[in-house]
Amino acid sequence: MEANTLTNPGIRTVAVLGGTGPQGRGLARRFAAAGLRVVLGSRTADRARAAAGELEAATGGQVEGADNLAAALLGEAVIVAVPWEAHAELLTELAPALAGKLVVDCVNPLGFDGKGAFALRVPEGSAAEQAAALLPESRVVAAFHHVSAVLLDDPAVEFVDSDVLVLGDDREAVDLVQQLVATIPGMRGVYGGRLRNAHQVEAFTANLISINRRYKAHSGLRVTDI
């Protein structure tokens, strides 16, 4: 299967750091189904290769597994989908490998207690801004925060009915990520502002989790009148 050259002329290989987790695996499934070459990254290469084999068989796409370093080196676009607790350490370690790369951060710094999910304070302002600070030679864009991992990884869901807010300071990089979003049927990338606005986008995920728990749903986001 060939990548859709109309919606995605600039990216052929997507690496997903944390690709064996729910969000990373779900995005990997959709990109593979769209005809992109996908590299799943994980702390353990064997685990990544096992997950990649399952996704390749399920999608008919091109999926391979590697440790996070090897995946970072292979990706033209690199999705950061690791747990918040591992975010800073991993990006610090991979900064040389990610130099010059398009890095898409979808990490939500959230805490959980008896009252539910809540946004954590991040010294840099947001996970995306932390990524930009740690990766000064990369093109960092924030995206994919509000898309349900359950829906992404469900092969019975043909269309993922969701807009994706895309934030960044590099216009060309933002455009590329919007094109990447558009490879997933049903999804649309919407420019959401500069990277300094990523905090409220990441924090809003806590509200969606509350909605999901109350209504037993997999809620997403749609922006009207555009």
Side-chain angles (χ1 to χ4, degrees):
M1 186 186 302
E2 294 182 357
N4 188 334
T5 56
L6 292 178
T7 59
N8 187 37
I11 298 170
R12 293 291 179 270
T13 301
V14 179
V16 185
L17 308 183
T20 57
Q23 193 77 3
R25 180 185 171 92
L27 288 170
R29 174 186 292 276
R30 298 294 167 168
F31 293 140
L36 301 176
R37 177 193 179 202
V38 177
V39 184
L40 288 186
S42 180
R43 288 177 296 176
T44 305
D46 287 344
R47 183 182 180 190
R49 284 192 283 267
E54 293 173 2
L55 283 181
E56 189 168 69
T59 64
Q62 184 180 358
V63 189
E64 55 197 274
D67 61 40
N68 282 320
L69 174 59
L73 290 169
L74 289 169
E76 293 173 294
V78 180
I79 310 291
V80 181
V82 298
W84 167 241
E85 296 76 17
H87 187 261
E89 181 179 358
L90 180 68
L91 295 186
T92 299
E93 176 186 342
L94 296 183
L98 293 172
K101 303 270 187 177
L102 173 59
V103 176
V104 185
D105 200 294
C106 65
V107 174
N108 297 308
L110 299 177
F112 296 86
D113 59 18
K115 296 180 180 180
F118 61 95
L120 297 176
R121 294 184 181 274
V122 179
E124 296 85 355
S126 64
E129 288 170 290
Q130 183 183 84
L134 295 173
L135 305 172
E137 297 183 48
S138 301
R139 307 165 73 192
V140 177
V141 174
F144 297 113
H145 298 90
H146 304 143
V147 188
S148 166
V150 174
L151 296 181
L152 285 172
D153 203 27
D154 186 345
V157 176
E158 185 175 353
F159 296 94
V160 182
D161 184 17
S162 181
D163 283 336
V164 172
L165 294 180
V166 182
L167 301 93
D169 299 326
D170 181 324
R171 177 62 181 268
E172 182 183 17
V174 168
D175 289 346
L176 284 171
V177 175
Q178 288 182 271
Q179 292 164 12
L180 185 62
V181 173
T183 64
I184 302 176
M187 286 172 54
R188 177 180 65 162
V190 176
Y191 174 64
R194 300 270 184 169
L195 209 61
R196 67 183 183 183
N197 292 319
H199 165 70
Q200 57 263 37
V201 172
E202 296 170 4
F204 186 64
T205 306
N207 300 90
L208 293 179
I209 291 172
S210 298
I211 291 169
N212 292 341
R213 288 183 173 178
R214 172 64 65 90
Y215 298 102
K216 296 179 171 42
H218 302 294
S219 57
L221 178 71
R222 278 295 187 197
V223 180
T224 63
D225 200 33
I226 58 171

